[in-house]
Amino acid sequence: MCVYACGSVTKRWLLYKALSIPGQRGEEGIAEHPESKLRRTTATEKEREREVAEMGRSPCCSKEGLNRGAWTAQEDKILTDYIKAHGEGRWRNLPKKAGLKRCGKSCRLRWLNYLRPDIKRGNISPDEEELIIRLHRLLGNRWSLIAGRLPGRTDNEIKNYWNTNLGRRVQSNHQTNSHSRDDHVDPLSPNHQHDDDQPHKVESPKYSETSKVSTDDNSVSESPSSEPDPRLVKTDAFKCSKSLIDPPPEQELHRNEDPINTDLAAAAAAVAVAVDPTPTGVLPPFAWNIPADLLMDDFEIGEICLSELLNSNSSGVNNQDQFNSNNSNTSGDHLFADQGQVQGLDWAALSSDCVQDNYQANAGSNFHQPFASFLDYNGGDQWL
DNA sequence: AACTATTTCAACCGCACGACA
DNA sequence: GTGTCGTGCGGTTGAAATAGT
């Protein structure tokens, strides 16, 4: 348990520091926590690594002789200089070439989460916070997708922010709401006055409990009640994995998760990318698995079959061509409807920047209102 | 001031995917 | 079809910082 670890281990660590037991880590000789070192070199761990290696899958790097833990300024500089000179990628070989005693994975993480020049520093703004909440409502714990909508923010940062701030607030707000449903105020809705304006003491659950909210509980963290909001998005259940691409057997679907919410989440994730594809945006493969009738029923998108939207080329250059090509190739068992179903569709509207224009120009004639709101037009200039 | 409890967030881990041989 | 590699993702950990007593 984290509580135990944070308390007693820290105590022993302070004692350890006070006694100045020598320990070296990194080039600046940062002392490593004695227990963490113990933990990381247990026999079972080594055995597991060996087992994995014997099974044919080598570990990402040999962990012996590598620095771990916090990065030093010198290491940062070496990594930054190397990437500036040679570019990103080839992470496995990077440490050796750059002269770093680090795992390639660690280098990648350090670069992506900390050293990248476009990283935005500083606190999460109220606007960003609202965006995170709304995106989380749509996407669940798809941190990388959420981060993709927040320029300069990393998935790790957002994940941490959610786990330490928002998740807890969402949970406590939900409890508040369930006690006073009649007032029709959603404290986390975009229209609600921001919490920063009304500081209040949040009933602080133990940290470990907060973590459990997003991990052990298979539902979205704001919904512990017995009557989940049907729009809510499940979290763990729709991790982008093969299980979503290959439809599970019927009984599997009904095992322990709500397939509707699972598919809605997939739809939401796909739409979030498809509507405004970024250079890094990719169309999630599980888009293929979304039943068209389900989408039609739930989002009332009229002439537009959302599955077409989901399968539209994220580059958005010529979606009609892409559609035709996809349909004629019949490469997969995807869910394209009859092409006639989408006649009259403004293909250009499916490309990134045109969605907003189209909505404004047609006032929902092509994009029916529920769908438009699903895409989350913010009422101003800001689109999700 | 000293100690303890709690929170934050960078880093780590295992797993899964796509590409390729 | 299979195995390996390179990469990305989400969950978890724990050292350090901060708040509370």
Side-chain angles (χ1 to χ4, degrees):
Chain A
M1 283 289 283
C2 185
V3 174
Y4 170 79
C6 287
S8 58
V9 173
T10 302
K11 266 184 252 176
R12 276 174 276 168
W13 170 233
L14 289 172
L15 179 65
Y16 169 84
K17 279 206 292 193
L19 292 171
S20 302
I21 298 171
Q24 293 288 313
R25 193 181 70 186
E27 294 176 5
E28 293 178 3
I30 302 167
E32 178 166 345
H33 193 300
E35 284 203 7
S36 67
K37 195 160 194 170
L38 259 179
R39 188 183 154 270
R40 287 166 181 156
T41 54
T42 54
T44 53
E45 195 170 333
K46 288 216 176 259
E47 278 167 17
R48 201 170 56 226
E49 278 173 20
R50 198 166 51 240
E51 279 170 17
V52 166
E54 282 168 4
M55 280 158 55
R57 186 177 161 214
S58 58
C60 72
C61 54
S62 111
K63 292 179 170 60
E64 286 168 23
L66 294 182
N67 294 340
R68 301 169 70 95
W71 280 64
T72 65
Q74 194 180 355
E75 285 176 311
D76 282 348
K77 188 176 184 315
I78 292 171
L79 180 59
T80 307
D81 289 347
Y82 183 87
I83 290 176
K84 275 179 185 169
H86 300 93
E88 294 180 44
R90 296 279 167 191
W91 296 108
R92 189 181 285 230
N93 296 329
L94 187 149
K96 197 183 283 180
K97 290 181 178 172
L100 280 165
K101 289 180 178 175
R102 289 278 179 178
C103 169
K105 245 181 169 182
S106 181
C107 293
R108 174 183 163 271
L109 205 67
R110 181 66 176 171
W111 172 255
L112 292 178
N113 285 341
Y114 200 82
L115 298 175
R116 260 191 313 163
D118 54 337
I119 294 284
K120 192 192 275 185
R121 301 269 167 229
N123 295 334
I124 303 277
S125 72
D127 284 348
E128 288 174 313
E129 193 178 294
E130 280 174 9
L131 197 50
I132 292 169
I133 291 166
R134 288 153 66 186
L135 285 168
H136 188 271
R137 209 174 279 161
L138 271 176
L139 305 172
N141 294 2
R142 307 289 297 276
W143 305 117
S144 59
L145 274 178
I146 294 174
R149 318 296 305 187
L150 288 142
R153 300 295 185 184
T154 68
D155 53 354
N156 208 31
E157 186 179 13
I158 290 168
K159 179 172 58 183
N160 284 333
Y161 190 71
W162 180 271
N163 286 337
T164 57
N165 295 285
L166 300 180
R168 192 179 311 165
R169 258 181 39 207
V170 164
Q171 194 183 23
S172 76
N173 276 314
H174 176 86
Q175 283 164 0
T176 308
N177 277 358
S178 65
H179 288 131
S180 56
R181 279 176 183 270
D182 294 341
D183 54 14
H184 298 294
V185 174
D186 176 12
L188 287 160
S189 77
N191 297 329
H192 179 72
Q193 191 175 8
H194 200 270
D195 273 13
D196 292 351
D197 302 328
Q198 294 179 309
H200 65 279
K201 179 83 178 170
V202 179
E203 235 181 88
S204 169
K206 284 191 169 57
Y207 181 58
S208 53
E209 289 171 353
T210 311
S211 303
K212 282 177 99 66
V213 167
S214 60
T215 56
D216 296 351
D217 185 354
N218 230 18
S219 65
V220 74
S221 50
E222 67 176 305
S223 180
S225 83
S226 58
E227 282 185 293
D229 183 334
R231 292 167 305 157
L232 284 184
V233 169
K234 298 244 175 178
T235 54
D236 287 351
F238 65 92
K239 190 173 180 178
C240 180
S241 69
K242 213 166 181 149
S243 64
L244 273 164
I245 300 165
D246 303 328
E250 186 102 15
Q251 65 270 30
E252 284 289 304
L253 272 178
H254 296 292
R255 190 181 31 164
N256 60 357
E257 61 199 35
D258 176 3
I260 292 177
N261 278 343
T262 302
D263 281 333
L264 287 181
V271 166
V273 176
V275 166
D276 185 9
T278 61
T280 56
V282 292
L283 213 51
F286 47 71
W288 302 113
N289 197 42
I290 301 164
D293 56 341
L294 168 72
L295 293 166
M296 299 290 278
D297 286 343
D298 280 88
F299 299 113
E300 303 173 46
I301 56 176
E303 298 97 314
I304 296 174
C305 177
L306 190 50
S307 61
E308 265 76 353
L309 173 61
L310 297 176
N311 288 306
S312 66
N313 184 2
S314 61
S315 74
V317 174
N318 189 337
N319 287 308
Q320 185 164 20
D321 286 348
Q322 178 68 19
F323 169 81
N324 293 337
S325 139
N326 280 347
N327 244 3
S328 60
N329 284 342
T330 60
S331 56
D333 51 347
H334 48 75
L335 296 154
F336 273 141
D338 177 6
Q339 193 182 348
Q341 189 177 349
V342 292
Q343 277 180 354
L345 174 60
D346 181 356
W347 291 98
L350 296 183
S351 65
S352 59
D353 294 331
C354 295
V355 174
Q356 178 179 0
D357 293 339
N358 186 76
Y359 176 80
Q360 288 168 338
N362 297 301
S365 66
N366 277 351
F367 285 83
H368 283 206
Q369 185 59 42
F371 184 48
S373 67
F374 174 64
L375 297 181
D376 215 349
Y377 178 57
N378 205 21
D381 292 328
Q382 200 177 4
W383 285 70
L384 287 180

